[in-house]
C-alpha cells in the first residue's frame, strides 16, 4: 500500500462514489485493457492505473503480479479572455475530482449518478433490501451497504472468503450468512450487523445448508429449509433447533409466508443437481410439521413465489421450459394456470410487489431456448394478467425494492442503479461506463449479422455503443466513432449492422468533462470535453514484425480535447502526469530524452527489492507523445517529490500549471543542476543526461546518477505547450506508455532497450491508419473503390508484405491461385489496417495470382515465388 500525505478518508467511506457535488458526480466505473502483455485499469474520468484505494494497476508482464506505474491522469490549463488561470487536473482524488463522467452538456443539466458498485460480483442471492431502508450486497470476501437516502456506501471485508453462501436478514435486522458447497462440510455461519459493521462467527447450526432457502416466521425465528433437514434459528440467542423435515427434502425451493402465517414451499430439486421438482408442501410453525400440497403444473427450479393483493401466490420462472405462471390459492389448496406469462422461459429472477399492486420482474435475459430474449425488466398486472416489458436496457438478474416506489437493479456486473419502474426511468448516469471492444468481437459480430444470427446478449458493448449523444440535453450529436454501414447517419447495429470503430486489437472508449466544481485542484472550470480511446495491439493477432515485439508491452492513448465553453484560452498546456512505480515504488530514478521526446523511469540500482519488486535486471517504463500533426512532440518534462516542499505535491491551481511549464511551485524554473531547484541553467527537460544507458561512460550531463541522488518515489509529467485553444476548438493528443526490460546485470540496460522500443512503437503507430478518430465512418459493403497496394518483395522466397495506400474498410479475404486456377492459400485480413505479412513458404516456386476482396476492396496482383 502506497503512502499519501493527503487524506483518503472520504474515498474509503464512500467506496469511490462521490455524493452529489454541485450537480455532478465523480466517475466511479472502470475497465481493463488486457489483450497483450499489459493489464491496465482505466476509470471513466481522466485518471487510471490504480484501484482508487492504494494498489497499482499497470501490471507488466500481465499475470506477473508486478506493476510499473501506480497512477496517471490528464492535466490541462490556460489563461482565459479575462486573464484568469483555469486548470483541470487529477492525481489521487484526495478531496474530490476535476473531471466528471459523460459528455459536456450545453444545457448544464447533468444527472448525478444514483447507485453503487461493488469490488467483486455479488452472490447469486446476495442482494438484500434491509428493514432499515438500506441495501446490502454480499460477495466472496466482503459486503457493501448502500444507503439510498444519502447515496453513500460502506464496504467491509469478511473474515471468511467463501465463493458460495446464502444470506438472509433476521428479524432483528442482522444478517445470517450460511451454507457452502458441500453437504459433507458444515461451513461456519456468520452473523453480520450492518448498523455497527461487526461480524461474528457461530458454530451451532445442525445441517450443512447447501443451496437451502430461508424465511422469517411471524414469531421472529428464521426457518432454514434444506435437503439435509430443517431448523429454526433464533437471532436473540444465536442458537438453532431442529424442526420437522420436508416430506420431499429439496435444495433451492421457493418459500413464501402465507396470509395465515404458514409457509409454502414449492419447486426446487430433490438432489444436489438440477432435477426440477413438482412438489409443494406447507409448514405449520405451531406444530413444526409439513403437509403435502398440490403438485405444480410445470417442474421448476429457481422459481419464485409472491403473494398478490388478492392473497394468492403467484409462482414464476424456473427451468424446464416453464413458460407460463401458476397460482396457488391457500383457501382451496389448489394450483391453477395463469394465462399469459412472460412469453419465454426464464430462470434466475427476482419479483416483488409495487405500490400500485403490480409486480416487478427482473430476470436473467438468458432463456433456456435459443429464441431472442425479451426485455429483462417487466411489470405484471395480476388483475389484467398483462405483462408490460420495459424499454430495452441491458441488466442483470438482481433487483430489490427501495424507498420512494423505486427499485435497485443490477445495471451491469458489479454495478447497481436506482430505477423507477412506473416511469420506466433509470435514475443513473448512463455515462458511468467504459465501453470495451475487441477486434475479434467486431469481426464475429459482422459474421453473425451477415448470417442473421446475432444474439445481442453476446455483444452488450456493441449494442450500447454511445455513438450518438442526446442533443436535447445539449450533448454532441456524434460521439463514439462507428462504422455506418448504410450511410444513414444513425447507429443501428440491430437493424443495419453498424458497429463500433476502434483502433488496435482491444480498445476502451469513454467520455468525460470538467464542467463542475474542481474539488481536486480548486481551479476554475474550463468547459472541456475529452473523448478518450485507450487501445493495445496483440502481435499474435496483428502483424507487428514478430510474434512478440515492444508493441505487445505498450498501451496507446488518443484524447480529443474540445473547448466547449465560449471562452478562448492562451498559454495552454496539456500534460500527462504519471506516478511511476517500477515495482518497488521507493527506489526509482527518472530521466528524459530530448530527441525522442521521452520521459522515463527506471530502478535506482541493479536489483528491485521487496515482494513488489522485479528483482535483478528491473525494467524501465516511458511516456512518449506521438506525432499526430497537431501535437508533434512533448515540449516539457518535469517531476516532483511526494512531500509538501516547494518541489512537492501541488496544492493550488498555479502549481499544476507551473509544473506543466517546467516551473516549480514558486515559479522558479527547473535548472540542469543538482535536484533541479536553485542555481543553474534553466531547462524544460528533467534529467536528460545519459549516464551510460547503452554502455560506456555516458555523456556526463545532468542525470540522477550523475548528481548521486537517492532513489525515491517519483512523479513525472510530460507536457506540450504553449498553444491557443479557441472556443469550440479541438486538440488531439496521442501518446504511448512503453515498457522494456534488458538483462545486462544493471539498472541502465533497460533504459537502452526502452529507447529502442520507443522508436519501434512509434514507427509501428505511424504506419497504422488511425481511421477511427473520425466521428462517423461510411463503410457500405457494396461500394468498391480503387485500391492502392504495394506487394513486396516480388519475387518472394515465401514471405511477402502487403502495404495498402489506405486502411482496409473492414474485414477482407486474401486468396492465392496457382497457374492452373486452383486456390492454394486463403486467409482473413482484419479491417482498418494497412500492413500485413503473408507466409506461403510451403508453396512451390511459380507464378501466382493474389486476390483480395471484401469490405469495398477488390484488387489482384501477380506474385512470383522464387528461391
Amino acid at each position: 500500500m502506497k503512502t499519501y500525505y493527503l487524506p483518503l478518508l472520504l474515498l474509503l467511506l464512500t467506496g469511490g462514489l462521490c455524493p452529489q457535488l454541485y450537480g455532478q458526480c465523480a466517475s466511479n466505473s472502470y475497465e481493463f485493457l488486457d489483450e497483450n502483455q499489459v493489464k491496465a485499469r482505466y476509470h471513466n474520468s481522466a485518471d487510471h492505473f490504480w484501484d482508487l484505494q492504494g494498489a497499482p494497476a499497470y501490471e507488466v508482464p500481465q499475470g506477473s503480479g508486478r506493476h510499473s506505474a501506480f497512477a496517471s491522469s490528464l492535466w490541462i490549463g490556460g489563461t482565459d479572455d479575462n486573464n484568469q488561470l483555469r486548470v483541470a487536473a487529477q492525481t489521487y482524488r484526495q478531496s474530490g475530482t476535476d473531471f466528471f463522467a459523460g459528455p459536456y452538456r450545453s444545457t448544464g443539466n447533468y444527472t448525478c449518478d444514483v447507485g453503487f458498485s461493488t469490488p467483486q460480483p455479488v452472490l447469486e442471492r446476495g442482494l438484500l433490501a434491509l428493514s432499515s431502508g438500506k441495501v446490502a450486497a454480499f460477495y466472496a470476501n466482503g459486503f457493501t451497504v448502500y444507503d439510498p437516502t444519502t447515496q453513500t456506501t460502506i464496504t467491509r471485508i469478511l473474515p471468511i472468503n467463501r465463493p458460495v453462501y446464502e444470506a438472509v436478514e433476521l428479524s432483528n435486522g442482522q444478517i445470517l450468512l450460511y451454507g457452502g458447497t458441500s453437504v459433507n462440510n458444515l461451513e461456519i455461519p456468520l452473523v453480520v450487523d450492518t448498523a455497527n459493521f461487526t461480524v461474528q462467527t457461530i458454530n451451532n447450526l445442525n445441517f450443512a445448508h447447501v443451496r437451502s432457502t430461508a424465511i422469517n416466521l411471524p414469531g421472529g425465528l428464521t426457518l432454514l429449509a434444506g435437503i439435509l433437514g430443517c431448523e429454526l434459528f433464533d437471532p436473540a440467542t444465536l442458537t438453532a433447533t431442529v424442526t420437522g423435515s420436508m416430506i420431499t427434502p429439496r435444495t433451492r425451493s421457493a418459500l413464501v409466508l402465507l396470509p395465515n402465517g404458514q409457509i409454502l414451499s414449492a419447486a426446487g430439486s430433490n438432489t444436489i443437481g438440477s432435477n426440477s421438482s413438482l412438489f409443494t408442501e406447507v409448514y405449520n410453525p405451531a406444530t413444526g410439521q409439513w403437509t403435502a400440497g398440490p403438485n405444480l403444473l410445470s417442474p421448476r427450479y429457481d422459481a419464485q413465489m409472491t403473494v398478490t393483493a388478492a392473497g394468492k401466490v403467484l409462482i414464476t420462472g424456473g427451468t424446464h421450459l416453464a413458460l407460463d405462471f401458476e397460482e396457488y390459492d391457500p383457501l382451496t389448496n389448489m394450483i391453477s394456470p395463469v394465462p399469459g406469462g412472460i412469453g419465454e422461459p426464464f430462470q434466475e429472477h427476482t419479483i416483488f410487489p409495487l405500490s400500485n399492486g403490480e409486480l416487478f420482474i427482473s430476470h436473467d435475459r438468458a432463456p433456456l431456448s435459443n429464441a431472442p430474449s425479451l426485455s429483462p425488466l417487466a411489470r405484471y398486472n395480476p388483475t389484467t394478467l398483462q405483462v408490460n416489458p420495459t424499454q430495452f436496457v441491458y441488466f442483470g438478474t438482481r433487483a430489490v425494492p427501495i424507498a420512494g416506489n423505486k427499485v435497485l437493479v443490477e445495471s451491469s456486473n458489479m454495478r447497481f442503479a436506482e430505477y423507477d419502474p412506473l416511469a420506466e426511468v433509470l435514475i443513473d448516469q448512463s455515462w458511468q461506463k467504459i465501453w470495451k471492444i475487441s477486434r475479434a468481437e467486431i469481426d464475429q459480430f459482422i459474421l453473425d449479422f451477415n448470417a442473421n444470427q446475432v444474439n445481442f446478449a453476446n455483444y452488450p458493448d456493441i449494442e450500447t455503443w454511445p455513438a450518438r449523444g442526446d442533443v436535447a440535453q445539449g450533448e454532441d450529436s456524434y460521439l463514439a466513432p462507428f462504422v455506418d454501414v448504410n450511410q444513414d447517419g444513425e447507429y443501428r447495429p440491430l437493424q443495419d449492422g453498424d458497429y463500433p470503430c476502434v483502433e488496435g486489437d482491444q480498445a476502451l472508449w469513454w467520455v468525460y468533462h470538467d464542467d463542475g466544481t474542481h474539488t481536486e485542484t480548486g481551479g476554475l472550470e474550463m468547459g472541456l470535453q475529452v473523448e478518450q480511446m485507450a487501445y493495445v495491439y496483440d502481435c499474435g493477432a496483428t502483424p507487428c514484425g514478430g510474434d512478440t515485439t515492444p508493441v505487445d508491452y505498450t498501451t496507446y492513448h488518443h484524447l480529443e480535447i474540445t473547448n466547449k465553453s465560449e471562452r478562448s484560452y492562451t498559454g495552454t498546456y496539456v500534460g500527462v502526469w504519471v506516478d511511476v512505480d517500477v515495482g518497488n515504488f521507493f527506489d526509482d530514478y527518472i530521466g528524459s530524452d530530448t530527441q525522442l521526446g521521452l520521459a522515463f523511469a527506471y530502478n535506482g540500482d541493479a536489483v528491485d527489492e521487496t515482494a513488489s519488486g522485479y528483482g535483478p535486471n528491473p525494467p524501465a517504463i516511458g511516456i512518449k507523445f506521438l506525432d499526430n500533426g497537431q501535437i508533434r512532440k512533448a515540449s516539457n518534462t518535469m517531476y516532483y517529490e511526494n512531500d509538501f516542499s516547494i518541489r512537492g505535491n501541488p496544492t493550488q491551481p498555479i502549481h499544476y500549471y507551473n509544473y506543466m511549464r517546467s516551473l516549480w511551485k514558486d515559479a522558479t524554473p527547473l535548472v540542469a543542476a543538482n535536484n533541479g531547484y536553485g542555481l543553474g541553467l534553466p531547462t524544460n527537460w528533467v534529467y536528460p543526461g545519459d549516464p551510460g544507458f547503452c554502455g560506456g561512460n555516458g555523456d556526463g550531463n545532468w542525470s540522477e546518477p550523475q548528481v548521486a541522488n537517492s532513489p525515491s518515489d517519483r512523479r513525472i509529467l510530460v507536457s506540450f505547450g504553449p498553444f491557443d485553444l479557441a472556443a469550440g476548438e479541438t486538440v488531439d493528443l496521442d501518446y504511448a506508455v512503453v515498457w522494456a526490460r534488458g538483462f545486462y546485470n544493471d539498472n541502465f540496460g533497460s533504459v537502452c532497450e526502452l529507447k529502442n522500443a520507443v522508436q519501434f512503437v512509434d514507427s509501428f503507430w505511424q504506419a497504422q491508419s488511425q481511421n477511427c478518430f473520425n466521428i462517423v465512418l461510411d463503410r457500405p459493403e457494396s461500394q468498391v473503390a480503387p485500391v492502392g497496394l504495394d506487394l513486396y518483395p516480388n519475387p518472394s522466397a515465401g514471405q511477402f508484405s502487403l502495404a495498402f495506400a489506405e486502411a482496409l474498410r473492414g474485414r477482407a479475404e486474401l486468396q492465392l491461385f496457382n497457374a492452373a486456377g486452383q486456390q492454394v492459400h486463403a486467409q482473413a485480413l482484419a479491417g482498418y489496417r494497412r500492413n500485413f505479412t503473408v507466409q506461403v513458404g510451403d508453396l512451390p516456386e511459380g507464378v501466382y495470382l493474389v486476390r483480395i476482396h471484401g469490405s469495398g476492396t477488390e484488387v489482384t496482383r501477380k506474385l512470383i515465388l522464387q528461391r
Side-chain angles (χ1 to χ4, degrees):
M1 174 85 60
K2 250 183 114 149
T3 301
Y4 308 98
Y5 291 98
L6 295 178
L8 290 174
L9 178 61
L10 175 62
L11 176 65
L12 293 174
L13 288 178
T14 62
L17 175 64
C18 181
Q20 191 157 343
L21 296 171
Y22 303 96
Q24 294 284 13
C25 272
S27 308
N28 63 358
S29 181
Y30 66 90
E31 191 51 89
F32 286 94
L33 280 179
D34 53 7
E35 179 78 7
N36 58 14
Q37 292 295 322
V38 184
K39 183 176 182 180
R41 173 168 165 155
Y42 293 82
H43 303 282
N44 63 330
S45 182
D47 53 349
H48 33 267
F49 297 173
W50 72 307
D51 67 351
L52 296 185
Q53 295 186 24
Y58 196 85
E59 184 186 42
V60 197
Q62 185 174 170
S64 66
R66 302 292 182 269
H67 299 260
S68 290
F70 180 83
S72 180
S73 187
L74 170 70
W75 289 16
I76 186 169
T79 303
D80 67 16
D81 302 322
N82 295 319
N83 203 33
Q84 286 186 303
L85 175 65
R86 294 177 179 265
V87 172
Q90 280 185 207
T91 54
Y92 310 107
R93 305 195 192 191
Q94 300 97 323
S95 55
T97 180
D98 281 13
F99 293 100
F100 311 94
Y104 177 95
R105 287 183 168 179
S106 60
T107 62
N109 182 26
Y110 297 102
T111 303
C112 184
D113 173 69
V114 180
F116 72 99
S117 58
T118 58
Q120 292 188 29
V122 173
L123 297 174
E124 183 177 305
R125 286 182 283 185
L127 188 70
L128 301 179
L130 305 181
S131 55
S132 64
K134 300 178 181 179
V135 175
F138 288 86
Y139 33 92
N141 68 345
F143 64 97
T144 296
V145 176
Y146 170 64
D147 187 340
T149 302
T150 61
Q151 300 170 20
T152 57
T153 60
I154 296 179
T155 296
R156 292 292 186 270
I157 302 299
L158 290 171
I160 298 175
N161 188 340
R162 231 169 26 226
V164 176
Y165 55 84
E166 310 294 327
V168 60
E169 184 183 19
L170 305 172
S171 58
N172 64 357
Q174 296 182 331
I175 297 172
L176 175 66
L177 305 180
Y178 65 95
T181 58
S182 173
V183 294
N184 300 316
N185 187 10
L186 186 60
E187 302 279 4
I188 299 175
L190 302 174
V191 174
V192 177
D193 186 335
T194 58
N196 300 313
F197 292 91
T198 59
V199 181
Q200 59 180 316
T201 59
I202 57 175
N203 296 288
N204 56 2
L205 290 186
N206 297 281
F207 305 108
H209 287 283
V210 177
R211 302 297 190 186
S212 297
T213 45
I215 192 170
N216 291 329
L217 303 180
L221 300 180
T222 299
L223 172 66
L224 305 177
I227 196 168
L228 298 183
C230 299
E231 54 188 309
L232 300 173
F233 183 77
D234 187 344
T237 62
L238 302 182
T239 58
T241 56
V242 175
T243 188
S245 295
M246 287 186 286
I247 300 170
T248 305
R250 281 159 285 148
T251 64
R252 300 170 78 99
S253 63
L255 299 176
V256 70
L257 177 64
L258 299 175
N260 62 6
Q262 297 186 352
I263 304 297
L264 174 66
S265 170
S269 171
N270 54 11
T271 69
I272 298 298
S274 60
N275 295 324
S276 297
S277 172
L278 286 167
F279 300 111
T280 71
E281 44 192 290
V282 176
Y283 176 75
N284 188 335
T287 64
Q289 300 300 315
W290 297 84
T291 56
N295 282 352
L296 299 174
L297 304 177
S298 300
R300 296 176 186 267
Y301 179 81
D302 280 326
Q304 296 290 334
M305 295 194 294
T306 310
V307 177
T308 66
K312 297 182 181 181
V313 178
L314 187 71
I315 305 168
T316 57
T319 56
H320 293 273
L321 304 182
L323 282 167
D324 294 327
F325 297 163
E326 304 178 34
E327 192 172 68
Y328 172 76
D329 189 337
L331 297 179
T332 62
N333 194 34
M334 294 180 60
I335 289 180
S336 305
V338 177
I342 205 166
E344 64 174 354
F346 61 100
Q347 186 173 344
E348 296 178 16
H349 68 292
T350 52
I351 180 171
F352 46 81
L354 297 172
S355 60
N356 65 350
E358 293 182 318
L359 299 177
F360 177 80
I361 303 173
S362 173
H363 67 89
D364 57 7
R365 196 173 176 260
L368 301 174
S369 66
N370 292 323
S373 178
L374 298 177
S375 167
L377 299 184
R379 299 197 318 269
Y380 173 72
N381 189 320
T383 302
T384 64
L385 307 181
Q386 295 296 311
V387 172
N388 178 25
T390 68
Q391 56 188 348
F392 177 75
V393 265
Y394 187 77
F395 290 95
T397 63
R398 282 168 282 272
V400 290
I402 57 176
N405 296 320
K406 294 184 292 188
V407 299
L408 192 74
V409 294
E410 185 177 18
S411 60
S412 62
N413 190 23
M414 302 186 292
R415 169 115 196 103
F416 296 87
E418 292 189 14
Y419 180 76
D420 186 333
L422 301 182
E424 295 188 7
V425 174
L426 181 67
I427 314 170
D428 188 20
Q429 202 177 74
S430 59
W431 299 101
Q432 285 288 358
K433 179 177 173 61
I434 293 179
W435 285 262
K436 182 176 183 177
I437 301 288
S438 70
R439 176 66 51 196
E441 183 181 5
I442 289 176
D443 288 345
Q444 187 61 50
F445 170 79
I446 295 172
L447 292 175
D448 288 353
F449 185 84
N450 290 337
N452 198 28
Q453 295 178 346
V454 173
N455 181 352
F456 274 100
N458 298 328
Y459 304 106
D461 282 12
I462 291 179
E463 182 178 13
T464 62
W465 185 252
R468 302 296 302 270
D470 186 347
V471 178
Q473 291 289 346
E475 297 175 359
D476 283 347
S477 178
Y478 290 100
L479 288 167
F482 67 96
V483 176
D484 188 6
V485 172
N486 67 348
Q487 303 183 71
D488 65 353
E490 299 296 330
Y491 182 74
R492 306 200 310 171
L494 180 61
Q495 298 91 336
D496 303 335
D498 299 334
Y499 52 90
C501 186
V502 299
E503 299 296 331
D505 293 301
Q506 185 187 75
L508 309 178
W509 190 93
W510 68 105
V511 59
Y512 50 96
H513 65 91
D514 84 313
D515 189 30
T517 301
H518 289 195
T519 50
E520 160 110 3
T521 65
L524 296 172
E525 75 278 2
M526 298 185 71
L528 302 176
Q529 175 176 288
V530 183
E531 300 169 52
Q532 183 162 349
M533 184 180 291
Y535 57 101
V536 295
Y537 291 91
D538 178 358
C539 291
T542 296
C544 306
D547 291 337
T548 302
T549 75
V551 174
D552 263 318
Y553 294 87
T554 299
T555 53
Y556 290 97
H557 309 82
H558 174 80
L559 288 76
E560 295 183 11
I561 306 168
T562 303
N563 179 7
K564 305 291 287 187
S565 76
E566 297 180 354
R567 299 176 293 268
S568 293
Y569 299 108
T570 58
T572 310
Y573 281 79
V574 60
V576 175
W577 168 87
V578 187
D579 180 353
V580 283
D581 287 350
V582 183
N584 173 18
F585 64 85
F586 208 64
D587 65 347
D588 292 343
Y589 276 157
I590 58 169
S592 58
D593 187 310
T594 59
Q595 297 300 313
L596 294 176
L598 171 70
F600 55 85
Y602 58 106
N603 212 61
D605 53 33
V607 179
D608 191 25
E609 301 87 358
T610 76
S612 63
Y614 280 94
N617 300 299
I621 188 170
I623 304 95
K624 176 178 172 57
F625 285 8
L626 302 167
D627 183 357
N628 61 18
Q630 270 190 310
I631 296 178
R632 297 186 178 276
K633 189 176 81 168
S635 60
N636 300 71
T637 61
M638 188 58 170
Y639 86 103
Y640 63 85
E641 302 287 356
N642 184 22
D643 57 32
F644 286 98
S645 68
I646 209 69
R647 298 184 301 109
N649 294 302
T651 58
Q652 299 176 23
I654 188 63
H655 298 162
Y656 295 86
Y657 186 61
N658 281 347
Y659 278 148
M660 286 188 283
R661 300 185 295 162
S662 299
L663 302 177
W664 296 107
K665 289 163 64 173
D666 62 358
T668 59
L670 174 72
V671 297
N674 300 318
N675 60 16
Y677 184 84
L679 299 176
L681 183 66
T683 179
N684 288 338
W685 293 84
V686 63
Y687 297 122
D690 182 353
F693 291 127
C694 297
N697 297 322
D699 59 13
N701 293 328
W702 185 46
S703 67
E704 294 222 67
Q706 185 260 339
V707 298
N709 281 347
S710 296
S712 188
D713 184 15
R714 303 282 194 253
R715 288 100 175 94
I716 197 165
L717 181 68
V718 190
S719 55
F720 172 82
F723 61 94
D724 294 337
L725 185 62
E729 188 176 3
T730 297
V731 61
D732 289 356
L733 171 64
D734 290 274
Y735 70 95
V737 180
V738 188
W739 186 96
R741 190 173 193 176
F743 293 88
Y744 300 94
N745 297 319
D746 65 12
N747 56 326
F748 288 174
S750 290
V751 178
C752 185
E753 294 294 329
L754 177 68
K755 293 186 177 186
N756 292 331
V758 163
Q759 296 178 71
F760 185 98
V761 163
D762 190 14
S763 297
F764 174 83
W765 184 83
Q766 295 292 344
Q768 309 308 307
S769 67
Q770 285 89 54
N771 226 6
C772 297
F773 301 145
N774 300 315
I775 292 178
V776 183
L777 302 177
D778 299 331
R779 294 293 183 259
E781 296 290 329
S782 60
Q783 179 177 330
V784 177
V787 176
L789 171 66
D790 288 331
L791 188 156
Y792 62 94
N794 194 6
S796 168
Q799 174 180 300
F800 62 94
S801 296
L802 303 173
F804 291 88
E806 295 182 357
L808 293 178
R809 297 176 175 181
R811 186 186 180 98
E813 184 180 24
L814 178 146
Q815 298 170 297
L816 258 69
F817 299 88
N818 61 19
Q822 299 169 320
Q823 179 177 308
V824 293
H825 177 82
Q827 70 181 71
L829 301 180
Y832 307 108
R833 301 172 194 167
R834 294 176 53 197
N835 300 285
F836 302 86
T837 300
V838 181
Q839 300 281 355
V840 288
D842 57 338
L843 297 179
E845 294 184 341
V847 178
Y848 295 82
L849 285 180
V850 179
R851 178 182 180 236
I852 301 165
H853 64 99
S855 298
T857 300
E858 187 71 43
V859 60
T860 303
R861 293 286 188 270
K862 183 170 69 174
L863 171 69
I864 299 174
L865 291 183
Q866 180 178 306
R867 298 178 181 88

